[in-house]
Amino acid sequence: MMRSSSELTLWPNHLKPLQDELASSWLVRLAHAHGYKSEQLCRILLGRARPMWNRDVDRQLSEELREALRNVTAISAEQLDLLGLTAYQGIVSEQVNANGNSRWILPLGVWHRKRRMSSLMCCPMCLATDAVPYFRRSWRLSFVTVCTKHHVDLIDECPACCSPITPHRVDVGKVGLIPRKNTLVKCASCGYDLRSVVPTKAESKLAAFTRTLNQAVAVGHVDWAGRPGMHSVLFFNGLRSVIKVVLNRDLWTLPIGTEFERHPIATRRRAMQIAASIFNGTPQPLLQFAYRVKARYVDFVDDPRLCPYWLLTQLSGLQRSQHPRRSAVEIAAIADAVERKAGRASPNRARREFGVNLSGPGHSRFRSQVSDEAFEWLVASVDHSISRAHDPSAKLALIQDKVMFGLIRAVGWGSSRLCRVGLDEVEASLPLCGFARGESLWFDAGPLAADCAAARVWWFLNEMRPRIPNSAACGRVFLNTTSGLPLSESAIGARFTKAVRIANLTASIRDMHALKRMP
């Protein structure tokens, strides 16, 4: 049965949260100040039917718990808001989830009332020098790995037994400690006093960088990259993009793509040390880092629409170096040089001999060329599929595929042109020839000339296309043989990929663009 908040009265020791105190830390201190265990506090405030410690109470306090705490401690709603990690919303990220994982917030790995992950950090010197020891809210932020006050590394587990730091369980069970003042600084598993830990001195650059990050969290903005008053969310979004590359390209953490918050503190600290050397307000260290680890522009920028502009600006040099704009004269000169040195121009040879990237679709002299033999093998494979097809609709679709592949090869049309071409365009674009002879055109060799491909199209329009349902109502040439609707560009690409795979030509025909015959 849940206890009604109206039954609760003001307690004699209604202590208030300390500066930057974490919700769970304050709740444990409140319980111990009245001689209660943490679980007893939960039952008194909420009743037996509403357990409290089987969830991450630091993320957000429930409305029932907030009301009960206001009644027994006279705490204000503003003070309660500052206890939760959701107060970081709009500061370190756009949203901090009350339930579930969030950017920059360390997950606890809650399992019943235990914690499977070492996600609560602490500074032993802070706990030792505090008049009243308590756990800070910033010790749940993944980018905070050192104490900027004492310049030492934070710890996230008991050095004696390697158990996660769980202050709410220090008084649990028969071996639990009797609730007294400062009990929460003990290890809940072995009773080791965390204040007696001899900490490791923090790296100076990392301490200074962490101080900058803490200041950005405190005021909500940061002066960075020549932009005074930059919103902290924009800054942290850019930092996260760089951290991702540090983890995947420099530290080679496994598995690739693991969220920053799920890495152990040693890995996070090392990643932040590298970030501290990169982030000095100028683009040079960032570009030098990218060149060193051979990172590409797209490794930093998944989506330019979501990446902060200040980071795009600093990465502009990397983008230009990877995707230079070259004139046709320059491309031809490079091709001639590659041919003289290596015998034949190809993107791999240009990259290997001169370190240039010329694999774009506009660089025709460097485009991979499908041989006539490979194309004829593809056509033969389609013919074989036609002969085996029993369903009339499937047979029509395969015949249409052969017509389209011929246009790609001989005329140079791509999937975007094939899906848009109309009946009225065919007469203007393709000469009428060959069809009048009444030739059988779907079992012949692959078309190697434009007139042969045109003849096949006219034969298809007059003999095969009328058999497609509802074809008379559509002005497009190539249709879905079942519904009669125009084929989309993606559908044409999918049918081409399937035909190449059936013919076992994936190594010879890498894409539709390579199938086009070069002039």
Side-chain angles (χ1 to χ4, degrees):
M1 178 179 178
M2 180 178 171
R3 184 183 297 274
S4 172
S5 59
S6 60
E7 302 175 10
L8 300 172
T9 58
L10 191 65
W11 287 354
N13 191 350
H14 40 88
L15 73 163
K16 297 299 187 289
L18 299 173
Q19 178 67 30
D20 193 39
E21 185 166 13
L22 197 61
S24 57
S25 171
W26 178 65
L27 290 172
V28 174
R29 288 199 307 114
L30 180 64
H32 292 180
H34 293 85
Y36 299 133
K37 293 189 175 184
S38 302
E39 190 62 31
Q40 286 178 300
L41 176 74
C42 170
R43 295 177 181 176
I44 292 172
L45 297 179
L46 299 176
R48 292 180 176 271
R50 300 295 296 272
M52 181 173 64
W53 300 108
N54 62 348
R55 59 181 59 89
D56 189 351
V57 297
D58 295 326
R59 290 187 178 270
Q60 188 177 42
L61 300 174
S62 66
E63 286 301 322
E64 296 84 356
L65 182 58
R66 289 169 64 93
E67 180 65 24
L69 290 171
R70 283 196 293 266
N71 289 335
V72 299
T73 64
I75 189 174
S76 66
E78 291 75 14
Q79 288 176 304
L80 285 173
D81 291 338
L82 292 177
L83 289 170
L85 297 173
T86 50
Y88 288 128
Q89 181 166 301
I91 297 178
V92 300
S93 62
E94 293 86 349
Q95 182 176 0
V96 175
N97 300 317
N99 298 299
N101 297 330
S102 302
R103 285 187 167 194
W104 303 117
I105 305 297
L106 292 172
L108 291 177
V110 177
W111 187 71
H112 296 284
R113 291 169 175 80
K114 297 182 179 180
R115 306 293 183 254
R116 293 183 294 182
M117 300 179 67
S118 300
S119 299
L120 175 58
M121 300 176 289
C122 72
C123 169
M125 294 188 68
C126 284
L127 296 179
T129 57
D130 285 340
V132 178
Y134 67 99
F135 288 86
R136 275 70 166 169
R137 190 177 47 151
S138 60
W139 291 344
R140 287 287 305 275
L141 293 173
S142 58
F143 55 79
V144 177
T145 59
V146 300
C147 175
T148 57
K149 180 179 179 181
H150 299 103
H151 293 269
V152 297
D153 291 342
L154 300 182
I155 63 174
D156 65 348
E157 61 184 18
C158 172
C161 66
C162 299
S163 298
I165 299 173
T166 53
H168 71 284
R169 292 187 59 82
V170 72
D171 53 23
V172 172
K174 295 180 180 179
V175 297
L177 301 175
I178 298 175
R180 289 194 179 94
K181 185 179 180 181
N182 300 340
T183 307
L184 81 167
V185 299
K186 307 283 187 176
C187 172
S189 298
C190 67
Y192 185 83
D193 194 332
L194 299 176
R195 294 173 296 184
S196 62
V197 176
V198 179
T200 304
K201 183 175 177 58
E203 200 264 337
S204 58
K205 283 187 178 180
L206 177 56
F209 186 52
T210 305
R211 188 179 298 107
T212 301
L213 300 181
N214 287 338
Q215 181 66 16
V217 172
V219 300
H221 61 83
V222 61
D223 297 336
W224 199 261
R227 293 174 174 81
M230 181 194 299
H231 198 287
S232 58
V233 171
L234 297 178
F235 175 76
F236 281 109
N237 284 348
L239 173 63
R240 193 172 185 87
S241 297
V242 175
I243 289 292
K244 177 187 67 174
V245 178
V246 170
L247 292 173
N248 296 341
R249 287 278 185 166
D250 196 8
L251 300 182
W252 292 100
T253 55
L254 296 175
I256 296 295
T258 302
E259 292 293 331
F260 180 61
E261 294 75 28
R262 294 189 174 273
H263 285 286
I265 189 172
T267 303
R268 298 201 313 271
R269 184 179 294 118
R270 178 56 184 151
M272 293 305 299
Q273 287 174 348
I274 297 174
S277 64
I278 295 173
F279 280 74
N280 66 355
T282 61
Q284 285 74 23
L286 179 57
L287 294 178
Q288 291 171 1
F289 164 76
Y291 295 141
R292 178 173 64 83
V293 300
K294 299 180 180 180
R296 303 166 299 169
Y297 179 81
V298 295
D299 293 328
F300 292 94
V301 183
D302 290 333
D303 188 343
R305 297 171 299 176
L306 302 179
C307 186
Y309 178 74
W310 72 265
L311 183 59
L312 292 176
T313 303
Q314 292 206 339
L315 292 172
S316 59
L318 181 65
Q319 185 182 28
R320 284 195 295 270
S321 67
Q322 291 184 340
H323 305 284
R325 296 182 179 179
R326 304 184 188 276
S327 65
V329 176
E330 185 180 7
I331 294 171
I334 295 174
D336 291 337
V338 172
E339 288 177 352
R340 286 195 300 269
K341 188 171 183 179
R344 185 171 67 87
S346 70
N348 289 335
R349 285 188 171 92
R351 189 179 301 110
R352 183 173 60 250
E353 300 294 341
F354 299 102
V356 294
N357 183 4
L358 295 174
S359 58
H363 305 147
S364 59
R365 291 187 64 178
F366 290 91
R367 176 164 49 84
S368 300
Q369 174 65 39
V370 175
S371 65
D372 291 342
E373 291 79 10
F375 176 68
E376 290 176 1
W377 186 271
L378 174 65
V379 173
S381 174
V382 176
D383 287 339
H384 186 62
S385 299
I386 293 173
S387 65
R388 291 190 306 171
H390 299 289
D391 180 60
S393 177
K395 188 183 291 290
L396 274 174
L398 290 167
I399 295 172
Q400 182 174 249
D401 289 346
K402 185 175 179 180
V403 174
M404 290 191 295
F405 298 164
L407 288 174
I408 296 171
R409 178 67 173 180
V411 184
W413 288 4
S415 57
S416 59
R417 179 71 185 276
L418 291 172
C419 71
R420 294 196 310 267
V421 65
L423 296 173
D424 53 344
E425 301 177 47
V426 173
E427 186 172 356
S429 302
L430 300 175
L432 178 60
C433 60
F435 169 70
R437 297 193 296 269
E439 299 173 356
S440 177
L441 294 174
W442 74 81
F443 283 102
D444 62 347
L448 301 179
D451 57 349
C452 187
R456 176 171 292 166
V457 172
W458 283 106
W459 170 82
F460 171 76
L461 291 177
N462 287 272
E463 297 293 333
M464 297 290 111
R465 189 178 180 279
R467 305 181 188 182
I468 300 176
N470 304 319
S471 60
C474 184
R476 300 287 176 84
V477 174
F478 300 110
L479 310 175
N480 183 304
T481 56
T482 302
S483 65
L485 297 175
L487 281 178
S488 65
E489 183 175 356
S490 60
I492 295 174
R495 294 196 64 83
F496 175 80
T497 302
K498 181 179 179 180
V500 171
R501 187 175 65 250
I502 292 175
N504 293 321
L505 292 171
T506 53
S508 302
I509 306 177
R510 295 187 179 276
D511 53 38
M512 190 181 297
H513 184 71
L515 189 66
K516 300 178 183 178
R517 168 180 279 243
M518 288 194 298

